[in-house]
Coordinates of all heavy atoms in Angstrom, one line a residue:
M1 N -67.0 -28.9 -148.7 CA -67.5 -28.5 -147.4 C -68.9 -29.0 -147.2 O -69.8 -28.8 -148.1 CB -67.5 -27.0 -147.3 CG -67.9 -26.5 -146.0 SD -68.1 -24.7 -145.8 CE -66.7 -24.0 -146.6
L2 N -69.2 -29.6 -146.1 CA -70.5 -30.1 -145.8 C -71.4 -29.1 -145.1 O -72.6 -28.9 -145.5 CB -70.4 -31.3 -144.9 CG -71.7 -32.0 -144.5 CD1 -72.5 -32.5 -145.7 CD2 -71.4 -33.1 -143.5
A3 N -70.9 -28.3 -144.2 CA -71.7 -27.3 -143.5 C -70.8 -26.2 -142.9 O -69.6 -26.4 -142.7 CB -72.5 -28.0 -142.3
T4 N -71.4 -25.1 -142.6 CA -70.8 -24.0 -141.8 C -71.6 -23.7 -140.6 O -72.8 -23.6 -140.7 CB -70.7 -22.8 -142.7 OG1 -69.9 -23.1 -143.9 CG2 -70.0 -21.6 -142.0
V5 N -71.0 -23.7 -139.4 CA -71.7 -23.4 -138.2 C -71.0 -22.2 -137.6 O -69.9 -21.9 -137.8 CB -71.6 -24.6 -137.2 CG1 -72.4 -25.8 -137.8 CG2 -70.2 -25.0 -137.0
P6 N -71.8 -21.4 -136.8 CA -71.3 -20.2 -136.2 C -70.5 -20.3 -134.9 O -70.4 -19.4 -134.1 CB -72.5 -19.4 -136.0 CG -73.6 -20.4 -135.6 CD -73.2 -21.6 -136.5
F7 N -69.9 -21.5 -134.7 CA -69.1 -21.8 -133.5 C -67.9 -22.6 -133.9 O -67.9 -23.3 -134.9 CB -69.9 -22.4 -132.4 CG -70.7 -23.6 -132.8 CD1 -70.1 -24.9 -132.9 CD2 -72.0 -23.5 -133.1 CE1 -70.9 -26.0 -133.3 CE2 -72.8 -24.6 -133.5 CZ -72.2 -25.8 -133.6
S8 N -66.9 -22.7 -133.0 CA -65.7 -23.5 -133.3 C -66.1 -25.0 -133.1 O -67.0 -25.3 -132.3 CB -64.6 -23.1 -132.4 OG -64.9 -23.4 -131.1
M9 N -65.4 -25.8 -133.9 CA -65.7 -27.2 -133.7 C -64.4 -28.0 -133.3 O -63.3 -27.6 -133.7 CB -66.2 -27.8 -135.0 CG -67.6 -27.3 -135.5 SD -68.2 -28.2 -136.9 CE -67.0 -27.8 -138.1
D10 N -64.6 -29.0 -132.5 CA -63.4 -29.8 -132.1 C -63.6 -31.3 -132.3 O -62.6 -32.0 -132.4 CB -63.0 -29.4 -130.7 CG -63.9 -30.0 -129.6 OD1 -65.1 -30.1 -129.9 OD2 -63.5 -30.4 -128.5
N11 N -64.8 -31.7 -132.3 CA -65.0 -33.2 -132.5 C -66.2 -33.4 -133.4 O -67.1 -32.6 -133.5 CB -65.3 -33.8 -131.1 CG -64.0 -33.9 -130.3 OD1 -63.1 -34.6 -130.6 ND2 -64.0 -33.2 -129.2
L12 N -66.2 -34.6 -133.9 CA -67.4 -35.0 -134.7 C -67.6 -36.5 -134.5 O -66.7 -37.2 -134.2 CB -67.4 -34.6 -136.1 CG -66.4 -35.3 -137.1 CD1 -67.0 -36.6 -137.6 CD2 -66.1 -34.4 -138.2
A13 N -68.8 -36.9 -134.6 CA -69.2 -38.4 -134.5 C -70.2 -38.6 -135.6 O -71.0 -37.8 -136.0 CB -69.7 -38.7 -133.2
I14 N -70.2 -39.8 -136.1 CA -71.1 -40.3 -137.2 C -71.9 -41.5 -136.6 O -71.2 -42.5 -136.1 CB -70.4 -40.7 -138.5 CG1 -69.7 -39.4 -139.0 CG2 -71.4 -41.1 -139.5 CD1 -68.8 -39.7 -140.2
D15 N -73.2 -41.4 -136.6 CA -74.0 -42.5 -136.0 C -74.2 -43.6 -137.0 O -73.7 -43.5 -138.1 CB -75.3 -42.0 -135.3 CG -76.3 -41.5 -136.3 OD1 -76.2 -41.7 -137.5 OD2 -77.3 -40.9 -135.8
S16 N -74.9 -44.7 -136.6 CA -75.2 -45.8 -137.5 C -76.1 -45.5 -138.7 O -76.2 -46.3 -139.6 CB -75.8 -47.0 -136.7 OG -77.0 -46.6 -136.1
Y17 N -76.7 -44.3 -138.7 CA -77.5 -43.8 -139.8 C -76.8 -42.8 -140.7 O -77.4 -42.1 -141.5 CB -78.8 -43.2 -139.3 CG -79.7 -44.2 -138.5 CD1 -79.7 -44.2 -137.1 CD2 -80.4 -45.2 -139.2 CE1 -80.5 -45.1 -136.4 CE2 -81.2 -46.1 -138.5 CZ -81.2 -46.1 -137.1 OH -81.9 -47.0 -136.4
D18 N -75.5 -42.7 -140.5 CA -74.6 -41.7 -141.2 C -75.0 -40.3 -140.9 O -74.7 -39.4 -141.7 CB -74.6 -42.0 -142.7 CG -73.9 -43.3 -143.0 OD1 -73.0 -43.7 -142.3 OD2 -74.3 -43.9 -144.1
Q19 N -75.5 -40.0 -139.7 CA -75.8 -38.6 -139.3 C -74.6 -38.1 -138.6 O -74.0 -38.8 -137.8 CB -77.1 -38.6 -138.4 CG -78.3 -39.0 -139.2 CD -79.5 -39.0 -138.3 OE1 -79.4 -39.3 -137.1 NE2 -80.7 -38.8 -138.9
I20 N -74.2 -36.8 -138.9 CA -73.0 -36.3 -138.3 C -73.4 -35.3 -137.1 O -74.3 -34.5 -137.2 CB -72.3 -35.5 -139.4 CG1 -71.8 -36.4 -140.5 CG2 -71.0 -34.8 -138.8 CD1 -71.2 -35.8 -141.7
Y21 N -72.6 -35.5 -136.0 CA -72.8 -34.6 -134.9 C -71.5 -34.0 -134.6 O -70.4 -34.6 -134.7 CB -73.2 -35.5 -133.7 CG -74.5 -36.1 -133.8 CD1 -74.6 -37.4 -134.5 CD2 -75.7 -35.5 -133.4 CE1 -75.8 -38.0 -134.7 CE2 -76.9 -36.2 -133.6 CZ -77.0 -37.4 -134.2 OH -78.2 -38.0 -134.4
V22 N -71.5 -32.7 -134.2 CA -70.3 -31.9 -133.9 C -70.4 -31.3 -132.6 O -71.5 -31.0 -132.1 CB -69.9 -30.9 -135.0 CG1 -69.7 -31.5 -136.3 CG2 -71.0 -29.8 -135.1
S23 N -69.2 -31.1 -131.9 CA -69.2 -30.4 -130.7 C -68.3 -29.2 -130.8 O -67.3 -29.1 -131.6 CB -68.7 -31.3 -129.5 OG -67.4 -31.7 -129.7
S24 N -68.5 -28.2 -129.9 CA -67.7 -27.0 -129.8 C -66.9 -27.0 -128.5 O -67.4 -27.0 -127.4 CB -68.5 -25.7 -129.8 OG -67.8 -24.6 -129.5
D25 N -65.5 -27.0 -128.7 CA -64.7 -27.0 -127.5 C -64.7 -25.7 -126.8 O -64.5 -25.6 -125.6 CB -63.3 -27.4 -127.8 CG -62.6 -26.4 -128.8 OD1 -63.4 -25.6 -129.5 OD2 -61.4 -26.4 -129.0
K26 N -65.0 -24.6 -127.5 CA -64.9 -23.2 -126.9 C -66.2 -22.8 -126.2 O -66.2 -22.1 -125.2 CB -64.6 -22.3 -128.0 CG -64.4 -20.9 -127.6 CD -63.8 -20.1 -128.8 CE -64.4 -18.8 -128.9 NZ -64.0 -18.1 -130.1
D27 N -67.4 -23.2 -126.7 CA -68.6 -22.8 -126.2 C -69.5 -23.9 -125.7 O -70.6 -23.7 -125.1 CB -69.4 -22.0 -127.3 CG -68.7 -20.8 -127.7 OD1 -68.3 -20.0 -126.8 OD2 -68.5 -20.6 -128.9
G28 N -69.2 -25.2 -125.9 CA -70.0 -26.3 -125.4 C -71.2 -26.7 -126.3 O -72.0 -27.4 -125.8
Y29 N -71.3 -26.1 -127.5 CA -72.4 -26.5 -128.3 C -72.3 -27.9 -128.8 O -71.2 -28.4 -129.0 CB -72.5 -25.6 -129.6 CG -72.8 -24.1 -129.3 CD1 -71.8 -23.2 -129.4 CD2 -74.1 -23.7 -129.0 CE1 -72.1 -21.8 -129.2 CE2 -74.4 -22.4 -128.8 CZ -73.3 -21.4 -128.9 OH -73.6 -20.1 -128.6
I30 N -73.5 -28.5 -129.0 CA -73.6 -29.8 -129.7 C -74.6 -29.6 -130.8 O -75.7 -29.1 -130.5 CB -74.0 -30.9 -128.8 CG1 -73.2 -31.0 -127.5 CG2 -74.1 -32.3 -129.5 CD1 -71.7 -31.5 -127.8
A31 N -74.2 -30.0 -132.0 CA -75.1 -29.8 -133.2 C -75.2 -31.1 -134.0 O -74.2 -31.8 -134.1 CB -74.7 -28.6 -134.0
K32 N -76.3 -31.2 -134.7 CA -76.5 -32.3 -135.7 C -76.4 -31.6 -137.0 O -77.2 -30.7 -137.3 CB -77.8 -33.0 -135.5 CG -78.1 -34.1 -136.5 CD -79.5 -34.7 -136.2 CE -79.9 -35.7 -137.2 NZ -81.2 -36.2 -136.9
I33 N -75.5 -32.1 -137.9 CA -75.4 -31.5 -139.2 C -76.4 -32.2 -140.2 O -76.5 -33.4 -140.2 CB -74.0 -31.7 -139.8 CG1 -72.9 -31.1 -138.8 CG2 -73.9 -31.1 -141.2 CD1 -73.1 -29.6 -138.6
L34 N -77.2 -31.4 -140.9 CA -78.2 -31.9 -141.7 C -77.7 -32.1 -143.2 O -76.7 -31.4 -143.5 CB -79.5 -31.0 -141.7 CG -80.1 -30.9 -140.3 CD1 -81.2 -29.8 -140.3 CD2 -80.6 -32.2 -139.8
P35 N -78.3 -32.9 -144.0 CA -77.8 -33.2 -145.3 C -77.6 -31.9 -146.2 O -76.7 -31.9 -147.1 CB -78.9 -34.1 -145.9 CG -79.5 -34.8 -144.8 CD -79.5 -33.7 -143.7
R36 N -78.4 -30.9 -146.1 CA -78.2 -29.7 -146.9 C -77.2 -28.7 -146.4 O -77.2 -27.6 -146.9 CB -79.6 -29.1 -147.2 CG -80.5 -30.0 -148.0 CD -81.7 -29.3 -148.4 NE -82.5 -30.2 -149.3 CZ -83.6 -29.9 -149.9 NH1 -84.1 -28.7 -149.7 NH2 -84.2 -30.7 -150.6
G37 N -76.5 -29.0 -145.3 CA -75.5 -28.1 -144.8 C -76.0 -27.3 -143.6 O -75.2 -26.6 -143.1
N38 N -77.3 -27.3 -143.3 CA -77.7 -26.6 -142.1 C -77.6 -27.5 -140.9 O -77.1 -28.6 -141.0 CB -79.1 -26.0 -142.3 CG -80.1 -27.1 -142.8 OD1 -79.7 -28.1 -143.3 ND2 -81.4 -26.8 -142.8
Y39 N -78.0 -27.0 -139.8 CA -77.8 -27.8 -138.6 C -78.9 -27.6 -137.6 O -79.6 -26.6 -137.7 CB -76.4 -27.4 -137.9 CG -76.4 -26.0 -137.4 CD1 -76.7 -25.7 -136.1 CD2 -76.1 -25.0 -138.3 CE1 -76.7 -24.4 -135.6 CE2 -76.0 -23.7 -137.8 CZ -76.3 -23.4 -136.5 OH -76.3 -22.1 -136.1
I40 N -79.0 -28.5 -136.6 CA -79.9 -28.4 -135.5 C -79.1 -28.3 -134.3 O -78.2 -29.2 -134.0 CB -80.9 -29.6 -135.4 CG1 -81.7 -29.8 -136.7 CG2 -81.7 -29.6 -134.2 CD1 -82.5 -31.0 -136.7
L41 N -79.3 -27.3 -133.5 CA -78.6 -27.2 -132.2 C -79.2 -28.1 -131.2 O -80.4 -27.9 -130.8 CB -78.6 -25.7 -131.8 CG -77.6 -25.3 -130.8 CD1 -76.2 -25.5 -131.3 CD2 -77.8 -23.8 -130.5
L42 N -78.5 -29.1 -130.7 CA -79.0 -30.0 -129.7 C -78.7 -29.5 -128.3 O -79.5 -29.8 -127.3 CB -78.3 -31.4 -129.9 CG -78.6 -32.0 -131.3 CD1 -77.8 -33.3 -131.4 CD2 -80.0 -32.2 -131.5
S43 N -77.6 -28.8 -128.1 CA -77.3 -28.3 -126.8 C -76.8 -26.8 -127.0 O -75.9 -26.6 -127.8 CB -76.1 -29.1 -126.1 OG -75.7 -28.4 -124.9
P44 N -77.4 -25.9 -126.2 CA -77.1 -24.5 -126.5 C -75.7 -24.0 -126.0 O -75.3 -22.9 -126.3 CB -78.2 -23.7 -125.7 CG -78.5 -24.7 -124.6 CD -78.4 -26.0 -125.2
G45 N -75.0 -24.8 -125.4 CA -73.6 -24.5 -125.0 C -73.7 -23.6 -123.7 O -74.7 -23.4 -123.1
G46 N -72.5 -23.2 -123.4 CA -72.3 -22.4 -122.2 C -70.8 -22.3 -121.8 O -70.0 -22.5 -122.6
M47 N -70.6 -22.1 -120.6 CA -69.2 -22.0 -120.1 C -68.5 -23.4 -120.1 O -69.2 -24.4 -119.7 CB -69.1 -21.4 -118.8 CG -69.4 -19.9 -118.8 SD -69.3 -19.1 -117.2 CE -70.9 -19.4 -116.6
I48 N -67.2 -23.4 -120.3 CA -66.5 -24.6 -120.3 C -65.5 -24.5 -119.1 O -64.6 -23.6 -119.1 CB -65.7 -24.9 -121.6 CG1 -66.6 -24.9 -122.8 CG2 -64.8 -26.2 -121.5 CD1 -67.6 -26.0 -122.7
L49 N -65.6 -25.2 -118.1 CA -64.7 -25.2 -116.9 C -64.6 -23.8 -116.3 O -63.6 -23.2 -116.2 CB -63.3 -25.7 -117.3 CG -62.3 -26.0 -116.2 CD1 -62.8 -27.2 -115.4 CD2 -61.0 -26.3 -116.8
P50 N -65.8 -23.3 -115.8 CA -65.7 -22.0 -115.1 C -64.8 -22.1 -113.9 O -64.8 -23.1 -113.2 CB -67.2 -21.7 -114.7 CG -67.9 -23.0 -114.8 CD -67.1 -23.9 -115.8
S51 N -64.0 -21.1 -113.6 CA -63.0 -21.2 -112.6 C -62.8 -19.9 -111.7 O -62.0 -19.9 -110.8 CB -61.7 -21.7 -113.1 OG -61.2 -20.8 -114.1
G52 N -63.4 -18.8 -112.0 CA -63.2 -17.6 -111.3 C -64.4 -16.7 -111.4 O -65.0 -16.6 -112.5
V53 N -64.8 -16.0 -110.3 CA -65.9 -15.1 -110.3 C -65.5 -13.8 -109.7 O -64.9 -13.8 -108.6 CB -67.1 -15.7 -109.6 CG1 -68.3 -14.8 -109.5 CG2 -67.6 -17.0 -110.2
A54 N -66.0 -12.7 -110.2 CA -65.8 -11.4 -109.6 C -67.0 -10.5 -109.8 O -67.7 -10.7 -110.9 CB -64.6 -10.7 -110.2
V55 N -67.4 -9.7 -108.9 CA -68.5 -8.8 -109.0 C -68.0 -7.4 -108.9 O -67.3 -7.1 -107.9 CB -69.6 -9.1 -107.9 CG1 -70.8 -8.1 -108.0 CG2 -70.1 -10.5 -108.0
L56 N -68.3 -6.6 -109.9 CA -67.9 -5.2 -109.9 C -69.0 -4.2 -110.2 O -69.9 -4.6 -111.0 CB -66.8 -5.0 -110.9 CG -65.5 -5.8 -110.7 CD1 -64.6 -5.7 -111.9 CD2 -64.8 -5.3 -109.5
P57 N -69.0 -3.0 -109.6 CA -70.0 -2.0 -109.9 C -69.8 -1.5 -111.3 O -68.7 -1.4 -111.8 CB -69.8 -1.0 -108.9 CG -68.4 -1.1 -108.4 CD -68.1 -2.5 -108.6
R58 N -70.9 -1.1 -112.0 CA -70.8 -0.4 -113.3 C -71.2 1.1 -113.1 O -71.9 1.4 -112.1 CB -71.8 -1.1 -114.2 CG -71.5 -2.5 -114.6 CD -72.4 -2.9 -115.8 NE -73.8 -2.6 -115.7 CZ -74.7 -3.4 -115.3 NH1 -74.4 -4.7 -115.0 NH2 -76.0 -3.1 -115.3
P59 N -70.7 1.9 -114.0 CA -71.1 3.3 -114.0 C -72.6 3.6 -114.0 O -73.0 4.7 -113.4 CB -70.4 3.9 -115.2 CG -69.3 3.0 -115.6 CD -69.8 1.6 -115.1
D60 N -73.4 2.7 -114.5 CA -74.8 3.0 -114.6 C -75.5 2.6 -113.3 O -76.8 2.7 -113.2 CB -75.5 2.2 -115.8 CG -75.4 0.7 -115.6 OD1 -74.9 0.2 -114.6 OD2 -75.8 0.0 -116.5
G61 N -74.8 2.2 -112.3 CA -75.4 1.9 -111.0 C -75.6 0.4 -110.8 O -75.9 -0.1 -109.7
G62 N -75.6 -0.4 -111.8 CA -75.7 -1.8 -111.7 C -74.4 -2.5 -111.3 O -73.4 -1.9 -111.1
E63 N -74.5 -3.8 -111.3 CA -73.3 -4.6 -111.0 C -73.2 -5.7 -112.1 O -74.1 -6.2 -112.6 CB -73.4 -5.3 -109.7 CG -73.3 -4.4 -108.5 CD -73.4 -5.2 -107.2 OE1 -74.1 -6.2 -107.1 OE2 -72.7 -4.7 -106.2
S64 N -71.9 -5.9 -112.4 CA -71.6 -7.0 -113.4 C -70.9 -8.1 -112.7 O -70.1 -7.9 -111.8 CB -70.7 -6.5 -114.5 OG -71.4 -5.6 -115.4
V65 N -71.3 -9.3 -113.1 CA -70.6 -10.6 -112.6 C -69.7 -11.1 -113.7 O -70.2 -11.3 -114.8 CB -71.7 -11.6 -112.2 CG1 -71.0 -12.9 -111.7 CG2 -72.6 -11.1 -111.1
Y66 N -68.4 -11.2 -113.4 CA -67.5 -11.6 -114.4 C -67.1 -13.1 -114.1 O -66.8 -13.4 -112.9 CB -66.2 -10.8 -114.4 CG -66.5 -9.4 -114.9 CD1 -66.9 -8.4 -114.0 CD2 -66.4 -9.1 -116.2 CE1 -67.1 -7.1 -114.5 CE2 -66.6 -7.8 -116.7 CZ -67.0 -6.8 -115.8 OH -67.2 -5.5 -116.3
V67 N -67.1 -14.0 -115.1 CA -66.8 -15.4 -114.9 C -65.7 -15.7 -115.9 O -65.9 -15.6 -117.1 CB -68.0 -16.3 -115.0 CG1 -67.6 -17.7 -114.8 CG2 -69.1 -15.9 -114.0
G68 N -64.6 -16.2 -115.4 CA -63.6 -16.7 -116.3 C -63.7 -18.2 -116.5 O -63.9 -18.9 -115.5
D69 N -63.6 -18.7 -117.7 CA -63.6 -20.2 -117.9 C -62.4 -20.4 -118.8 O -61.6 -19.6 -119.1 CB -64.9 -20.7 -118.5 CG -65.2 -20.3 -119.9 OD1 -64.3 -19.7 -120.6 OD2 -66.3 -20.7 -120.4
I70 N -62.2 -21.7 -119.2 CA -61.0 -22.0 -119.9 C -60.8 -21.3 -121.2 O -59.7 -21.1 -121.7 CB -61.0 -23.6 -120.1 CG1 -59.5 -24.0 -120.5 CG2 -62.0 -24.0 -121.1 CD1 -59.3 -25.5 -120.4
W71 N -61.9 -20.8 -121.9 CA -61.8 -20.2 -123.2 C -62.2 -18.7 -123.2 O -62.0 -18.1 -124.2 CB -62.6 -20.9 -124.2 CG -62.3 -22.3 -124.4 CD1 -63.0 -23.4 -124.0 CD2 -61.1 -22.8 -125.0 NE1 -62.3 -24.6 -124.4 CE2 -61.1 -24.2 -124.9 CE3 -59.9 -22.2 -125.5 CZ2 -60.1 -25.1 -125.4 CZ3 -58.9 -23.1 -126.0 CH2 -59.0 -24.4 -126.0
S72 N -62.8 -18.2 -122.2 CA -63.4 -16.8 -122.3 C -63.5 -16.2 -120.9 O -63.4 -16.8 -119.9 CB -64.7 -16.9 -123.0 OG -65.7 -17.6 -122.2
L73 N -63.7 -14.9 -121.0 CA -64.1 -14.1 -119.8 C -65.5 -13.5 -120.2 O -65.6 -12.7 -121.1 CB -63.1 -13.0 -119.5 CG -63.5 -12.0 -118.4 CD1 -63.5 -12.8 -117.1 CD2 -62.5 -10.9 -118.3
R74 N -66.5 -13.9 -119.4 CA -67.9 -13.5 -119.7 C -68.4 -12.5 -118.6 O -68.1 -12.7 -117.4 CB -68.8 -14.7 -119.7 CG -68.5 -15.6 -120.8 CD -69.3 -16.9 -120.7 NE -68.7 -17.9 -121.6 CZ -69.2 -18.2 -122.8 NH1 -70.3 -17.6 -123.3 NH2 -68.6 -19.1 -123.6
E75 N -69.1 -11.5 -119.1 CA -69.8 -10.5 -118.2 C -71.3 -10.7 -118.2 O -71.9 -10.7 -119.2 CB -69.4 -9.1 -118.6 CG -70.1 -8.0 -117.8 CD -70.0 -6.6 -118.4 OE1 -69.5 -6.5 -119.5 OE2 -70.4 -5.7 -117.7
F76 N -71.8 -10.8 -117.0 CA -73.3 -11.0 -116.8 C -73.9 -9.8 -116.0 O -73.2 -9.3 -115.1 CB -73.6 -12.3 -116.1 CG -73.2 -13.5 -116.9 CD1 -71.9 -14.1 -116.6 CD2 -74.0 -14.1 -117.8 CE1 -71.5 -15.2 -117.3 CE2 -73.6 -15.2 -118.5 CZ -72.3 -15.8 -118.3
D77 N -75.1 -9.5 -116.3 CA -75.8 -8.5 -115.5 C -76.1 -9.1 -114.1 O -76.7 -10.2 -114.1 CB -77.1 -8.0 -116.2 CG -77.8 -6.9 -115.4 OD1 -78.4 -7.2 -114.4 OD2 -77.7 -5.7 -115.9
G78 N -75.7 -8.4 -113.1 CA -75.9 -8.9 -111.7 C -77.4 -9.1 -111.3 O -77.7 -9.9 -110.4
R79 N -78.3 -8.3 -111.9 CA -79.7 -8.4 -111.6 C -80.4 -9.4 -112.4 O -81.3 -10.2 -111.9 CB -80.3 -7.1 -111.7 CG -80.0 -6.1 -110.6 CD -80.7 -4.8 -110.7 NE -79.6 -3.8 -110.5 CZ -79.8 -2.6 -110.4 NH1 -81.0 -2.1 -110.4 NH2 -78.8 -1.8 -110.1
T80 N -80.2 -9.4 -113.7 CA -81.0 -10.2 -114.6 C -80.3 -11.6 -115.0 O -81.0 -12.5 -115.4 CB -81.3 -9.5 -115.9 OG1 -80.0 -9.3 -116.6 CG2 -81.9 -8.2 -115.7
G81 N -79.0 -11.6 -114.9 CA -78.3 -12.8 -115.3 C -78.0 -12.9 -116.7 O -77.3 -13.8 -117.2
K82 N -78.4 -11.9 -117.5 CA -78.2 -11.8 -118.9 C -76.8 -11.5 -119.3 O -76.2 -10.7 -118.6 CB -79.1 -10.8 -119.5 CG -79.2 -10.8 -121.0 CD -80.3 -9.8 -121.5 CE -80.6 -10.1 -122.9 NZ -81.7 -9.2 -123.4
M83 N -76.2 -12.3 -120.2 CA -74.8 -12.0 -120.6 C -74.7 -10.7 -121.3 O -75.5 -10.3 -122.2 CB -74.3 -13.1 -121.5 CG -72.8 -13.0 -121.8 SD -72.0 -14.4 -122.4 CE -72.8 -14.7 -123.9
R84 N -73.8 -9.9 -120.9 CA -73.5 -8.5 -121.4 C -72.4 -8.5 -122.4 O -72.4 -7.8 -123.4 CB -73.2 -7.5 -120.3 CG -74.4 -7.2 -119.4 CD -74.0 -6.3 -118.2 NE -73.2 -5.1 -118.6 CZ -73.7 -4.0 -119.0 NH1 -75.0 -3.8 -119.0 NH2 -72.9 -3.0 -119.3
S85 N -71.4 -9.3 -122.2 CA -70.3 -9.4 -123.2 C -69.5 -10.6 -122.9 O -69.6 -11.3 -121.9 CB -69.4 -8.1 -123.0 OG -68.7 -8.2 -121.7
V86 N -68.6 -10.9 -123.9 CA -67.7 -12.1 -123.8 C -66.4 -11.7 -124.5 O -66.4 -11.1 -125.6 CB -68.3 -13.4 -124.4 CG1 -68.7 -13.2 -125.8 CG2 -67.4 -14.5 -124.1
E87 N -65.3 -12.0 -123.9 CA -64.0 -11.8 -124.5 C -63.4 -13.2 -124.6 O -63.2 -13.9 -123.6 CB -63.1 -11.0 -123.6 CG -63.5 -9.5 -123.5 CD -63.3 -8.8 -124.9 OE1 -62.4 -9.1 -125.6 OE2 -64.1 -7.9 -125.1
N88 N -63.1 -13.6 -125.9 CA -62.6 -15.0 -126.1 C -61.1 -15.0 -126.1 O -60.5 -14.0 -126.6 CB -63.2 -15.5 -127.4 CG -64.7 -15.7 -127.4 OD1 -65.2 -16.4 -126.5 ND2 -65.4 -15.2 -128.3
S89 N -60.6 -16.1 -125.7 CA -59.1 -16.3 -125.7 C -58.8 -17.0 -127.0 O -59.5 -18.0 -127.4 CB -58.7 -17.1 -124.5 OG -57.3 -17.4 -124.6
N90 N -57.7 -16.6 -127.7 CA -57.3 -17.3 -128.9 C -56.0 -18.1 -128.5 O -54.9 -17.5 -128.4 CB -57.0 -16.3 -130.0 CG -56.6 -16.9 -131.2 OD1 -56.3 -18.1 -131.3 ND2 -56.4 -16.2 -132.3
L91 N -56.2 -19.3 -128.2 CA -55.0 -20.1 -127.8 C -53.8 -20.1 -128.7 O -52.7 -20.1 -128.3 CB -55.4 -21.6 -127.6 CG -56.1 -22.0 -126.3 CD1 -56.4 -23.5 -126.3 CD2 -55.2 -21.7 -125.2
A92 N -54.1 -20.0 -130.0 CA -53.0 -20.0 -131.0 C -52.2 -18.8 -130.9 O -51.0 -18.8 -131.2 CB -53.5 -20.2 -132.4
A93 N -52.8 -17.7 -130.4 CA -52.1 -16.4 -130.4 C -51.7 -15.9 -129.0 O -51.2 -14.8 -128.9 CB -52.9 -15.4 -131.1
T94 N -51.9 -16.7 -128.0 CA -51.7 -16.2 -126.7 C -50.7 -17.1 -125.9 O -50.4 -18.3 -126.4 CB -53.0 -16.2 -125.8 OG1 -53.5 -17.5 -125.7 CG2 -53.9 -15.2 -126.4
V95 N -50.2 -16.7 -124.9 CA -49.4 -17.5 -124.0 C -50.2 -17.8 -122.8 O -51.2 -17.2 -122.5 CB -48.0 -16.8 -123.6 CG1 -47.2 -16.6 -124.8 CG2 -48.3 -15.5 -122.9
L96 N -49.7 -18.8 -122.0 CA -50.5 -19.3 -120.9 C -50.9 -18.2 -119.9 O -52.0 -18.3 -119.4 CB -49.6 -20.4 -120.1 CG -50.3 -21.0 -118.9 CD1 -51.5 -21.8 -119.4 CD2 -49.3 -22.0 -118.2
S97 N -50.1 -17.2 -119.7 CA -50.5 -16.2 -118.7 C -51.6 -15.3 -119.1 O -52.1 -14.5 -118.3 CB -49.2 -15.4 -118.4 OG -48.8 -14.6 -119.5
T98 N -52.1 -15.4 -120.4 CA -53.1 -14.5 -120.8 C -54.5 -15.3 -120.9 O -55.5 -14.7 -121.3 CB -52.8 -13.8 -122.2 OG1 -52.7 -14.9 -123.2 CG2 -51.6 -13.0 -122.1
W99 N -54.5 -16.5 -120.6 CA -55.7 -17.3 -120.6 C -56.6 -16.7 -119.5 O -56.2 -16.4 -118.4 CB -55.5 -18.7 -120.4 CG -54.9 -19.4 -121.6 CD1 -54.5 -18.9 -122.8 CD2 -54.5 -20.8 -121.7 NE1 -53.9 -19.8 -123.6 CE2 -53.9 -21.0 -122.9 CE3 -54.6 -21.9 -120.8 CZ2 -53.4 -22.3 -123.3 CZ3 -54.1 -23.1 -121.2 CH2 -53.6 -23.3 -122.4
P100 N -58.0 -16.7 -119.7 CA -58.9 -16.1 -118.7 C -58.8 -16.9 -117.4 O -59.0 -16.3 -116.3 CB -60.2 -16.3 -119.3 CG -60.0 -16.3 -120.8 CD -58.7 -17.0 -121.0
W101 N -58.5 -18.2 -117.4 CA -58.5 -18.9 -116.1 C -57.1 -19.0 -115.5 O -57.0 -19.5 -114.4 CB -59.0 -20.4 -116.4 CG -58.2 -21.0 -117.5 CD1 -58.5 -21.0 -118.8 CD2 -57.1 -21.9 -117.4 NE1 -57.6 -21.7 -119.5 CE2 -56.7 -22.3 -118.7 CE3 -56.3 -22.3 -116.3 CZ2 -55.6 -23.1 -118.9 CZ3 -55.2 -23.1 -116.6 CH2 -54.9 -23.5 -117.9
A102 N -56.1 -18.5 -116.1 CA -54.7 -18.6 -115.5 C -54.5 -17.6 -114.4 O -55.1 -16.6 -114.3 CB -53.7 -18.3 -116.6

């Protein structure tokens, strides 16, 4: 094992200097893998193919903005924009009708 990263990986590329780069299909991260197994995050990631938005009131008086993308359903605070929660879809264990974007 060369490295462990805290996100799913779907692709990698090796440049002309033998440096390894990986991408996350689920969160959109791009990272450079360093020789000792740690990594540098080049892109912080975000939603992949956002496709639906809903705004709902919360019991505390605020509002939440829900956004479904191809891999997750994310909840954001309507006032601050800060992410409150994320529910990830597990493609291997779900059927098409349970995907957040379906």
Side-chain angles (χ1 to χ4, degrees):
M1 181 184 321
L2 178 62
T4 301
V5 293
F7 50 82
S8 67
M9 293 188 299
D10 72 327
N11 288 295
L12 70 85
I14 301 171
D15 70 10
S16 60
Y17 299 102
D18 293 329
Q19 296 175 332
I20 299 172
Y21 299 84
V22 296
S23 66
S24 167
D25 59 346
K26 187 168 135 187
D27 298 308
Y29 292 107
I30 305 293
K32 177 180 175 181
I33 304 300
L34 301 175
R36 294 191 175 183
N38 48 348
Y39 65 94
I40 296 172
L41 199 57
L42 302 177
S43 171
M47 289 181 275
I48 304 298
L49 193 63
S51 59
V53 178
V55 178
L56 297 171
R58 293 193 314 262
D60 67 3
E63 289 183 326
S64 287
V65 178
Y66 293 90
V67 181
D69 71 5
I70 194 166
W71 300 112
S72 63
L73 177 64
R74 298 172 192 260
E75 176 190 8
F76 297 91
D77 185 285
R79 283 180 228 192
T80 67
K82 192 173 191 176
M83 189 164 56
R84 293 177 45 90
S85 66
V86 61
E87 291 293 326
N88 292 308
S89 175
N90 181 352
L91 276 182
T94 61
V95 295
L96 183 62
S97 65
T98 62
W99 289 359
W101 54 272

